[in-house]
Amino acid sequence: MSPNTSPNASPNAGPGPARNATVTPGQGPDGVPQPSRDPEAVSRFVERFAAQLTEAGMPRMPSRVFAALLASDSGGLSSAELGEQLQISPAAVSGAVRYLAQQHMVSREREPGSRRDLYRMHGNQWYEVLSSRDGLIKRWEDALREGVDNLGPTTPAGRRIAETLAFFEFVETEYAGMMERWRVRREELFGEG
């Protein structure tokens, strides 16, 4: 890829140069001036953020792929672009995006006019991820209720499980309000509904 080729140009950018069209340095594919980027600084961000995700429990390779997608202007990259940027094999990319898709963090789409797949972050990313956890919390609550019933609410273990259940019920109630407040705040900040 030449230095004047934009690896992060959106395939859905509408009129203008194609995905890998040559653009003037300092200009985006749509001709709008763009701040120049230091590829090493981008790489440092990707690896630093991936390390934080890994420390929080996400597997290392999905963390790196997710951080690379997050740092791309289009929010979508092909397997080859991810492999080149992260210096990983196609199999590593495939495994990482499979994990991320299962977590509702990325989706696969066909690049227009091509047989290549693009891996893209969802719009409103964190809302999507957290919303998918709502069903998980409900399943935990059901299991905890059963635990309280089976162990008895007055036993030490039953009280401990009841407290855990109360915590998740509290989180679920607060979560609904928090997500509504986020929708309003997101529209204020970014003008997107």
Side-chain angles (χ1 to χ4, degrees), residues 124 178-193:
N124 204 358
M178 179 186 71
M179 294 313 277
E180 181 55 37
R181 289 189 303 277
W182 167 243
R183 279 191 289 273
V184 170
R185 180 70 172 149
R186 180 176 188 250
E187 186 157 346
E188 288 171 1
L189 292 172
F190 303 106
E192 299 175 16

Side-chain angles (χ1 to χ4, degrees), residues 111-172:
E111 185 175 16
S114 170
R115 293 169 50 136
R116 291 191 326 170
D117 286 329
L118 282 180
Y119 302 106
R120 183 170 302 285
M121 295 181 61
H122 294 289
N124 204 358
Q125 179 59 45
W126 299 110
Y127 178 85
E128 294 281 337
V129 170
L130 292 175
S131 291
S132 70
R133 301 298 187 257
D134 193 39
L136 178 63
I137 290 175
K138 287 183 189 315
R139 289 192 302 273
W140 287 353
E141 288 174 0
D142 291 343
L144 290 165
R145 277 188 201 91
E146 185 177 328
V148 171
D149 290 344
N150 291 343
L151 295 169
T154 59
T155 66
R159 282 193 305 270
R160 191 167 46 251
I161 293 171
E163 182 179 341
T164 303
L165 173 60
F167 170 76
F168 282 116
E169 289 172 335
F170 174 80
V171 166
E172 184 180 5

Side-chain angles (χ1 to χ4, degrees), residues 92-106:
V93 172
S94 179
V97 296
R98 184 173 38 255
Y99 173 89
L100 292 168
Q102 290 169 347
Q103 303 302 314
H104 307 285
M105 298 177 77
V106 301

Side-chain angles (χ1 to χ4, degrees), residues 9-12 19 69 74 76-79 81 107-112 116-120:
S10 172
N12 300 320
R19 181 174 174 78
L69 289 171
S74 67
L77 297 170
S78 70
S79 178
E81 289 168 328
S107 59
R108 179 188 309 201
E109 59 188 53
R110 185 71 59 176
E111 185 175 16
R116 291 191 326 170
D117 286 329
L118 282 180
Y119 302 106
R120 183 170 302 285

Side-chain angles (χ1 to χ4, degrees), residues 44-71 86 96 99-100 103 105-106 121 125-126 129-130 133:
R44 281 192 304 274
F45 163 76
V46 166
E47 295 304 329
R48 189 174 308 129
F49 189 61
Q52 294 299 315
L53 292 172
T54 300
E55 191 173 306
M58 184 186 288
R60 182 172 181 267
M61 205 54 67
S63 295
R64 294 182 72 215
V65 167
F66 181 78
L69 289 171
L70 185 64
L86 299 173
Y99 173 89
L100 292 168
Q103 303 302 314
M105 298 177 77
V106 301
M121 295 181 61
Q125 179 59 45
W126 299 110
V129 170
L130 292 175
R133 301 298 187 257

